[in-house]
mmCIF file with all atom_site columns, all heavy atoms in Angstrom:
data_model
loop_
_atom_site.group_PDB
_atom_site.id
_atom_site.type_symbol
_atom_site.label_atom_id
_atom_site.label_alt_id
_atom_site.label_comp_id
_atom_site.label_asym_id
_atom_site.label_entity_id
_atom_site.label_seq_id
_atom_site.pdbx_PDB_ins_code
_atom_site.Cartn_x
_atom_site.Cartn_y
_atom_site.Cartn_z
_atom_site.occupancy
_atom_site.B_iso_or_equiv
_atom_site.pdbx_formal_charge
_atom_site.auth_seq_id
_atom_site.auth_comp_id
_atom_site.auth_asym_id
_atom_site.auth_atom_id
_atom_site.pdbx_PDB_model_num
ATOM 1  N N   . LEU A 1 26  ? 87.147  110.756 92.595  1.00 80.00 ? 283 LEU A N   1
ATOM 2  C CA  . LEU A 1 26  ? 86.434  110.038 91.495  1.00 80.00 ? 283 LEU A CA  1
ATOM 3  C C   . LEU A 1 26  ? 86.018  108.581 91.843  1.00 80.00 ? 283 LEU A C   1
ATOM 4  O O   . LEU A 1 26  ? 84.966  108.258 91.438  1.00 80.00 ? 283 LEU A O   1
ATOM 5  C CB  . LEU A 1 26  ? 87.398  110.040 90.219  1.00 80.00 ? 283 LEU A CB  1
ATOM 6  C CG  . LEU A 1 26  ? 87.597  111.362 89.675  1.00 80.00 ? 283 LEU A CG  1
ATOM 7  C CD1 . LEU A 1 26  ? 88.694  111.176 88.382  1.00 80.00 ? 283 LEU A CD1 1
ATOM 8  C CD2 . LEU A 1 26  ? 86.322  111.954 89.153  1.00 80.00 ? 283 LEU A CD2 1
ATOM 9  N N   . GLY A 1 52  ? 102.698 107.619 111.532 1.00 75.00 ? 309 GLY A N   1
ATOM 10 C CA  . GLY A 1 52  ? 104.064 107.644 111.830 1.00 75.00 ? 309 GLY A CA  1
ATOM 11 C C   . GLY A 1 52  ? 104.843 108.716 111.185 1.00 75.00 ? 309 GLY A C   1
ATOM 12 O O   . GLY A 1 52  ? 105.668 109.367 111.708 1.00 75.00 ? 309 GLY A O   1
ATOM 13 N N   . CYS A 1 65  ? 107.860 105.283 107.016 1.00 82.00 ? 322 CYS A N   1
ATOM 14 C CA  . CYS A 1 65  ? 106.485 105.142 107.373 1.00 82.00 ? 322 CYS A CA  1
ATOM 15 C C   . CYS A 1 65  ? 105.651 105.278 106.056 1.00 82.00 ? 322 CYS A C   1
ATOM 16 O O   . CYS A 1 65  ? 104.702 104.537 105.753 1.00 82.00 ? 322 CYS A O   1
ATOM 17 C CB  . CYS A 1 65  ? 105.956 106.023 108.352 1.00 82.00 ? 322 CYS A CB  1
ATOM 18 S SG  . CYS A 1 65  ? 106.652 105.617 110.012 1.00 82.00 ? 322 CYS A SG  1
ATOM 19 N N   . ALA A 1 69  ? 103.407 102.550 104.128 1.00 83.00 ? 326 ALA A N   1
ATOM 20 C CA  . ALA A 1 69  ? 101.982 102.729 103.966 1.00 83.00 ? 326 ALA A CA  1
ATOM 21 C C   . ALA A 1 69  ? 101.606 102.572 102.380 1.00 83.00 ? 326 ALA A C   1
ATOM 22 O O   . ALA A 1 69  ? 100.649 101.917 102.008 1.00 83.00 ? 326 ALA A O   1
ATOM 23 C CB  . ALA A 1 69  ? 101.529 104.082 104.392 1.00 83.00 ? 326 ALA A CB  1
ATOM 24 N N   . GLY A 1 96  ? 105.021 107.057 86.043  1.00 92.00 ? 353 GLY A N   1
ATOM 25 C CA  . GLY A 1 96  ? 105.324 107.074 87.510  1.00 92.00 ? 353 GLY A CA  1
ATOM 26 C C   . GLY A 1 96  ? 106.812 106.653 87.876  1.00 92.00 ? 353 GLY A C   1
ATOM 27 O O   . GLY A 1 96  ? 107.515 107.283 88.559  1.00 92.00 ? 353 GLY A O   1
ATOM 28 N N   . LEU A 1 115 ? 116.690 110.056 99.356  1.00 90.00 ? 372 LEU A N   1
ATOM 29 C CA  . LEU A 1 115 ? 116.781 109.075 98.237  1.00 90.00 ? 372 LEU A CA  1
ATOM 30 C C   . LEU A 1 115 ? 115.756 107.921 98.359  1.00 90.00 ? 372 LEU A C   1
ATOM 31 O O   . LEU A 1 115 ? 115.280 107.394 97.360  1.00 90.00 ? 372 LEU A O   1
ATOM 32 C CB  . LEU A 1 115 ? 118.151 108.416 98.198  1.00 90.00 ? 372 LEU A CB  1
ATOM 33 C CG  . LEU A 1 115 ? 119.297 109.363 97.970  1.00 90.00 ? 372 LEU A CG  1
ATOM 34 C CD1 . LEU A 1 115 ? 120.710 108.649 98.135  1.00 90.00 ? 372 LEU A CD1 1
ATOM 35 C CD2 . LEU A 1 115 ? 119.231 109.872 96.463  1.00 90.00 ? 372 LEU A CD2 1
ATOM 36 N N   . TYR A 1 117 ? 112.393 107.601 98.996  1.00 89.00 ? 374 TYR A N   1
ATOM 37 C CA  . TYR A 1 117 ? 111.050 107.612 98.507  1.00 89.00 ? 374 TYR A CA  1
ATOM 38 C C   . TYR A 1 117 ? 111.126 107.731 96.941  1.00 89.00 ? 374 TYR A C   1
ATOM 39 O O   . TYR A 1 117 ? 110.435 106.867 96.253  1.00 89.00 ? 374 TYR A O   1
ATOM 40 C CB  . TYR A 1 117 ? 110.277 108.779 98.947  1.00 89.00 ? 374 TYR A CB  1
ATOM 41 C CG  . TYR A 1 117 ? 108.846 108.668 98.576  1.00 89.00 ? 374 TYR A CG  1
ATOM 42 C CD1 . TYR A 1 117 ? 107.942 107.732 99.017  1.00 89.00 ? 374 TYR A CD1 1
ATOM 43 C CD2 . TYR A 1 117 ? 108.318 109.481 97.458  1.00 89.00 ? 374 TYR A CD2 1
ATOM 44 C CE1 . TYR A 1 117 ? 106.686 107.617 98.630  1.00 89.00 ? 374 TYR A CE1 1
ATOM 45 C CE2 . TYR A 1 117 ? 106.977 109.279 97.044  1.00 89.00 ? 374 TYR A CE2 1
ATOM 46 C CZ  . TYR A 1 117 ? 106.210 108.375 97.562  1.00 89.00 ? 374 TYR A CZ  1
ATOM 47 O OH  . TYR A 1 117 ? 104.914 108.210 97.096  1.00 89.00 ? 374 TYR A OH  1
ATOM 48 N N   . ARG A 1 136 ? 98.605  91.764  80.453  1.00 95.00 ? 393 ARG A N   1
ATOM 49 C CA  . ARG A 1 136 ? 97.843  92.131  79.161  1.00 95.00 ? 393 ARG A CA  1
ATOM 50 C C   . ARG A 1 136 ? 98.254  91.206  78.025  1.00 95.00 ? 393 ARG A C   1
ATOM 51 O O   . ARG A 1 136 ? 97.527  90.848  77.191  1.00 95.00 ? 393 ARG A O   1
ATOM 52 C CB  . ARG A 1 136 ? 98.015  93.582  78.873  1.00 95.00 ? 393 ARG A CB  1
ATOM 53 C CG  . ARG A 1 136 ? 97.210  94.466  79.699  1.00 95.00 ? 393 ARG A CG  1
ATOM 54 C CD  . ARG A 1 136 ? 97.433  95.980  79.251  1.00 95.00 ? 393 ARG A CD  1
ATOM 55 N NE  . ARG A 1 136 ? 96.726  96.834  80.089  1.00 95.00 ? 393 ARG A NE  1
ATOM 56 C CZ  . ARG A 1 136 ? 96.718  98.241  79.950  1.00 95.00 ? 393 ARG A CZ  1
ATOM 57 N NH1 . ARG A 1 136 ? 97.467  98.759  79.041  1.00 95.00 ? 393 ARG A NH1 1
ATOM 58 N NH2 . ARG A 1 136 ? 96.051  99.011  80.755  1.00 95.00 ? 393 ARG A NH2 1
#
Side-chain angles (χ1 to χ4, degrees):
L283 291 173
C322 289
L372 297 170
Y374 190 73
R393 285 182 181 179

